[in-house]
Amino acid sequence: MQNKKILVTPLNWGLGHATRCIPVIEALENHGFEPIIASDGVALELLKKEFPDKKILELPSYKIEYAKNGSFFKLKMFFQIPNMIKAVRSENRTVKKWIKEYGISGIISDNRMGVYSPKVPSAFMTHQLNVLTGNTTWFTTYIHQLFIEKHKQCWVPDVATSPNLTGKLGHPENCTLNIKYIGPLSRLNKKCLPKKYDLMVILSGPEPQRTLLEEKLKKELLDYEGEVIFIRGVIDGNQTVTEEDHITTYNYMGREELEQAFNESELVLCRSGYTTVMDLAKLGKKAFFIPTPGQYEQEYLAQKLKKSGLVPYALQDDFKISDLEEVTMYKGLKNMDTEEVTWKDLFGLFEGK
């Protein structure tokens, strides 16, 4: 009997959506399904490297660009709406064609709005049931939930109870969606390794903000005295490594290298994207956050975790390397004491259960 084919489609918005789909893809395979992967841009390139033996397809790009000035984030996004709508319609047509062409039996969409079909059961995976956009939060949340309603289930990678990692992002009031809290997801595992680096810097996210932060941190790190591993988050054809003084720089790392680097590092300096938060919690690491300018979700998570006494943060324009001294006053993230994801029950969606 042929294994059922499940289409897994992470949004190309930085690397977080792609990396948190990795344990989902592996679980599908372990439970007798055949995952087919589809995305675009750097998310697609990362998954090609992680799963060279899998069927991987390319979806239309949303072509999302960030403003250089964070205060113009919402305005920049507003002017990109026509292109995003065009991409959503195009990917929906593409998915309908693929269902016939590849015999797809189910869909897992990680925040891709056009990846759904009434012909096969589907799950929408997101940590944002409330989409924070300032005074337009009510509208963006409403639109987002309209798309989620097109799916049979909504999978939230967090716990249902308090304390949790997403706060109001993943725990809306009076929500009628069929929500399943599947627990935090991470492709990484904690290991007891001797310390090699005092600081690990890991970057990702859409341009130009990724590059702007990289340039700022390179200047700030000149005054840092410890050993640094700097992972730029740029997925090129080949891995490059440079060593200069106390800083070792990689353009990107594969999962095994990244897992080792995390475990060998005392402190992590990074964005406050939710996938990174889940990784840090799984590994029990201390960190310092610099949220992407203008991205309300990252700003909210940074504020929430600082208020909880777990992780300090600074705005990108304000950050100084001396700010890292604050970390000693915070507890750091810890792995949440939750039951393992019951993949068999979740995947019952594709068995008609």
Side-chain angles (χ1 to χ4, degrees), residues 161-173:
T161 55
S162 183
N164 54 64
L165 293 176
T166 58
K168 66 181 180 182
L169 292 175
H171 299 80
E173 297 179 0

Side-chain angles (χ1 to χ4, degrees), residues 220 267 288 290 312-315 318-329:
E220 289 292 330
L267 172 65
F288 191 100
I290 304 176
Y313 80 95
L315 299 179
D318 300 336
F319 176 76
K320 301 292 182 186
I321 201 67
S322 58
D323 291 342
L324 297 181
E325 296 171 8
E326 294 180 34
V327 172
T328 58
M329 298 182 288

Side-chain angles (χ1 to χ4, degrees), residues 25-59:
I25 293 166
E26 291 176 336
L28 282 167
E29 192 167 36
N30 291 338
H31 285 76
F33 296 94
E34 181 183 339
I36 295 177
I37 303 165
S39 189
D40 67 282
V42 293
L44 184 68
E45 293 307 310
L46 181 142
L47 291 170
K48 282 180 180 179
K49 293 179 184 297
E50 289 287 337
F51 299 104
D53 60 332
K54 297 285 184 292
K55 182 75 176 177
I56 296 184
L57 306 170
E58 185 167 4
L59 281 164

Side-chain angles (χ1 to χ4, degrees), residues 47-112:
L47 291 170
K48 282 180 180 179
K49 293 179 184 297
E50 289 287 337
F51 299 104
D53 60 332
K54 297 285 184 292
K55 182 75 176 177
I56 296 184
L57 306 170
E58 185 167 4
L59 281 164
S61 173
Y62 286 19
K63 298 179 181 178
I64 300 168
E65 294 181 2
Y66 275 29
K68 288 187 177 180
N69 187 326
S71 60
F72 296 132
F73 172 82
K74 191 157 57 173
L75 185 63
K76 177 90 172 180
M77 294 299 291
F78 176 78
F79 284 114
Q80 294 180 83
I81 287 175
N83 285 337
M84 291 171 67
I85 292 173
K86 184 178 179 182
V88 167
R89 288 174 174 168
S90 178
E91 72 178 358
N92 188 250
R93 290 193 297 268
T94 301
V95 167
K96 288 179 179 177
K97 182 181 71 173
W98 286 348
I99 289 172
K100 291 182 180 179
E101 185 175 348
Y102 298 108
I104 291 167
S105 299
I107 291 171
I108 300 172
S109 170
D110 187 333
N111 277 267
R112 294 199 79 112

Side-chain angles (χ1 to χ4, degrees), residues 3 21 31 33 55 109 112 124 141 144-145 150 197 216-217 223 225 258 260 267 269 277 293 305 315 321 334:
N3 294 343
C21 280
H31 285 76
F33 296 94
K55 182 75 176 177
S109 170
R112 294 199 79 112
F124 190 89
T141 296
H144 196 227
Q145 292 191 10
K150 297 179 183 295
Y197 304 103
K216 180 181 180 70
L217 292 181
D223 297 326
E225 295 182 355
L258 193 63
Q260 180 165 334
L267 172 65
L269 175 60
V277 170
L305 295 171
L315 299 179
I321 201 67
K334 302 294 181 186

Side-chain angles (χ1 to χ4, degrees), residues 177-203:
L177 297 171
N178 183 15
I179 301 170
K180 291 190 178 296
Y181 291 92
I182 66 175
L185 296 174
S186 176
R187 58 179 173 155
L188 307 176
N189 292 298
K190 186 175 178 62
K191 295 181 178 178
C192 294
L193 299 176
K195 187 185 84 169
K196 186 175 180 180
Y197 304 103
D198 298 286
L199 178 65
M200 175 181 182
V201 179
I202 181 164
L203 304 182

